[in-house]
Amino acid sequence: IERMKRIIAGGIAAELLFGHTSELYEDLYESGDIYSLWASYDLESDFGHFIISGESDRIETVEQKVKSYIAKIAENGIDKYVFESLKKALCGMHVRVFDKPSTLMRIFGQFYLQDMDVFDYYDTCGKITEEDVKDVINNLLCTEMAVSIVEPKGGN
């Protein structure tokens, strides 16, 4: 159950920090710093990581804004209303998976291979606290980050 809690908290953290309704996303998009942005959280048996991806012509600006925003959230905490909304949305998305057999089978397989029961997800989701999410942010996002830039070939 602890592993599942960490996975769910990481998913909430990814949406809280980088989702289309986050302050960061709105700032980056409105200022023209990004064309797109998405993030995901993965927890393996011996490591966890966020992947933040997007398109931008202003890499250094985006990198600095991301780091500043993470530090702000880590220092000031999580807005309770936003946290509760994201938690409910994530739990609801999991329930909707049961309507899609192909997605459901993939999730059953993932959970089985990680020695977790997919039917524990919803109950565990309800037990996630703001502290669980803040812990993910503090442990994974407040450390050194690696930045990888992929540029198109010249001469179009």
Side-chain angles (χ1 to χ4, degrees):
I1 298 293
E2 286 305 309
R3 180 177 178 74
M4 189 177 292
K5 278 180 72 174
R6 187 79 173 181
I7 291 169
I8 296 167
I12 293 171
E15 193 62 32
L16 172 83
L17 294 168
F18 310 109
H20 290 191
T21 59
S22 72
E23 281 180 47
L24 176 65
Y25 183 91
E26 289 180 17
D27 172 47
L28 292 170
Y29 190 77
E30 292 296 318
S31 64
D33 291 329
I34 59 167
Y35 304 115
S36 66
L37 182 75
W38 67 267
S40 66
Y41 173 76
D42 292 308
L43 182 64
E44 300 300 329
S45 59
D46 54 352
F47 70 94
H49 64 90
F50 274 89
I51 296 177
I52 306 162
S53 181
E55 295 178 69
S56 175
D57 294 325
R58 304 174 188 160
I59 305 299
E60 293 81 20
T61 301
V62 172
E63 182 181 359
Q64 188 54 47
K65 285 184 176 183
V66 165
K67 288 178 179 179
S68 295
Y69 186 69
I70 292 168
K72 175 184 156 190
I73 294 294
E75 184 178 326
N76 298 334
I78 300 166
D79 179 277
K80 189 170 190 62
Y81 175 77
V82 172
F83 165 75
E84 289 297 332
S85 296
L86 289 173
K87 184 167 103 170
K88 287 176 186 175
L90 191 66
C91 290
M93 283 185 346
H94 179 74
V95 170
R96 284 192 301 274
V97 163
F98 285 86
D99 288 339
K100 298 178 183 174
S102 61
T103 305
L104 183 60
M105 295 315 297
R106 182 180 55 80
I107 289 173
F108 264 96
Q110 279 180 319
F111 277 59
Y112 177 78
L113 291 173
Q114 295 184 35
D115 200 28
M116 295 186 297
D117 186 342
V118 72
F119 295 108
D120 291 335
Y121 186 95
Y122 191 78
D123 287 336
T124 304
C125 192
K127 295 174 185 171
I128 300 295
T129 66
E130 293 171 53
E131 275 305 309
D132 295 324
V133 175
K134 190 172 180 182
D135 184 53
V136 170
I137 293 169
N138 287 335
N139 287 317
L140 293 177
L141 294 174
C142 293
T143 59
E144 195 61 34
M145 295 180 202
V147 177
S148 194
I149 300 169
V150 178
E151 295 185 10
K153 284 186 175 181
N156 289 334

